[in-house]
Amino acid sequence: PAGKRLSYMDQREFEALPARIEALEAEQARLQEAMAAPEFYKEAAGTIQGILSRLDQLQAELLDAYARWDELDSRRQT
């Protein structure tokens, strides 16, 4: 809720989110780079599907992390 200061746990979470977002983005970039390689689609179907699934999961995790960061940031500034 707006107008409340962050609890100790929320403050720790807020401070950890940039590093988490950075790690997720780095993994996403590595997987996208692997997909861009010409030999990527010569991999086994299971490998390809695993990477595509992980990219979808990373996108969802990033959206959640950005939303949580925005929420905590807005509470912190009030």
Side-chain angles (χ1 to χ4, degrees):
K4 283 190 168 185
R5 292 181 49 91
L6 293 181
S7 69
Y8 177 80
M9 294 299 289
D10 286 343
Q11 182 64 36
R12 298 289 79 73
E13 180 184 4
F14 180 75
E15 291 170 359
L17 275 168
R20 173 158 171 68
I21 289 169
E22 186 176 330
L24 291 170
E25 288 176 339
E27 183 181 355
Q28 184 181 47
R30 282 192 307 275
L31 293 176
Q32 288 172 337
E33 187 176 311
M35 282 181 56
E39 64 275 3
F40 176 73
Y41 287 99
K42 295 177 184 172
E43 295 283 339
T47 301
I48 292 170
Q49 187 56 47
I51 289 174
L52 295 175
S53 293
R54 180 61 183 146
L55 279 168
D56 287 344
Q57 183 182 17
L58 283 167
Q59 184 63 32
E61 288 180 36
L62 279 166
L63 289 174
D64 288 346
Y66 283 127
R68 183 66 175 152
W69 189 66
D70 284 343
E71 175 190 343
L72 292 173
D73 189 46
S74 68
R75 286 177 39 204
R76 186 176 67 92
Q77 294 178 7
T78 57

